[in-house]
Amino acid sequence: ASIGASAKGVHLDVTDVDAWAELVARIEDTPRRLDALVNAAAIMEYGDLETLDMDSFRRVQRVNVEGTLIGCRACAPLLAKDGGGAIVNFSSTLAEVGVPPFLAYSASKAAILSLTRTLAVEFRQKNTPVRCNSIMPGRILTPMLQESERLAGHDIAGEAPDSPLLRELNIGQPADVAAMVVFLASDASRFVNGAALRVDNALSAGG
């Protein structure tokens, strides 16, 4: 009910090409159109140059980067066929800030920045009516951040959005990011293409 009476949840392995094809086929079998694709699935493995094992590194790249690429490839034709649409890929401020324990995650999010820009140019050059942008969230109250903060000695689970602790740690809410997704998926951003928009309350600006 929280996602709307007409919304449907579908389990999807984002690294599975056939699963994406099946999902697209299911959409095509409905009377509705595909307006936007939001690639937000991601995992994180902790480790720096010395401690990160290669299997963990590859797993992060496979889910975060390959999953994004496969989703774009699967859905772009349907977005274009239905009259045009938008792709929103989730990057991160960690794509541009070096934090050693997040080596694999940071590398994957940097790749998504480049992937997004390249696809935006490709779509424009081919006159494909699809825009492709990325979002760079900062510190947002998600289970992933809660775990990393727990390892750092901060228990932020259950904190109210306006709590002093969250303000001190500069942690935003999922709704802050969702508002940017809605903007990039809508016609209000019809001339925004290939952009990387930060949602981080000045974190990457030095604040």
Side-chain angles (χ1 to χ4, degrees):
S2 62
I3 59 174
S6 62
K8 294 183 179 180
V10 179
H11 176 79
L12 176 69
D13 177 355
V14 297
T15 68
D16 188 334
V17 174
D18 292 336
W20 275 103
E22 181 180 341
L23 177 61
V24 169
R26 291 179 62 174
I27 296 172
E28 290 179 314
D29 285 339
T30 71
R32 300 181 179 182
R33 53 172 282 165
L34 181 63
D35 295 298
L37 166 67
V38 180
N39 285 306
I43 63 171
M44 180 183 287
E45 297 280 359
Y46 298 97
D48 57 17
L49 182 62
E50 294 182 358
T51 61
L52 180 67
D53 67 85
M54 290 309 300
D55 285 342
S56 295
F57 181 84
R58 294 187 186 99
R59 185 161 51 249
V60 171
Q61 308 316 307
R62 180 157 173 73
V63 173
N64 298 6
V65 184
E66 289 187 32
T68 297
L69 174 59
I70 295 169
C72 291
R73 178 177 285 175
C75 295
L78 186 56
L79 286 165
K81 185 178 73 172
D82 284 342
I87 295 174
V88 182
N89 294 327
F90 269 56
S91 179
S92 168
T93 54
L94 285 175
E96 296 183 340
V97 179
V99 182
F102 303 134
L103 191 158
Y105 184 81
S106 297
S108 73
K109 293 304 182 176
I112 289 173
L113 284 183
S114 182
L115 169 68
T116 300
R117 295 189 186 105
T118 303
L119 290 179
V121 172
E122 179 178 341
F123 292 148
R124 185 184 63 80
Q125 290 180 344
K126 293 181 176 179
N127 293 316
T128 302
V130 177
R131 295 179 295 106
C132 190
N133 293 289
S134 61
I135 291 178
M136 301 174 67
R139 297 164 62 77
I140 304 298
L141 189 61
T142 63
M144 185 180 290
L145 182 70
Q146 288 178 15
E147 175 61 15
S148 64
E149 287 299 311
R150 185 189 66 79
L151 294 174
H154 301 134
D155 183 7
I156 60 175
E159 288 286 331
D162 59 347
S163 75
L165 179 59
L166 294 191
R167 288 200 301 271
E168 178 186 348
L169 297 175
N170 197 10
I171 295 175
Q173 298 295 311
D176 299 321
V177 179
M180 184 65 79
V181 172
V182 171
F183 168 68
L184 290 175
S186 74
D187 290 338
S189 61
R190 64 184 182 85
F191 208 64
V192 181
N193 194 17
L197 302 184
R198 295 176 176 82
V199 186
D200 69 352
N201 196 30
L203 177 66
S204 57

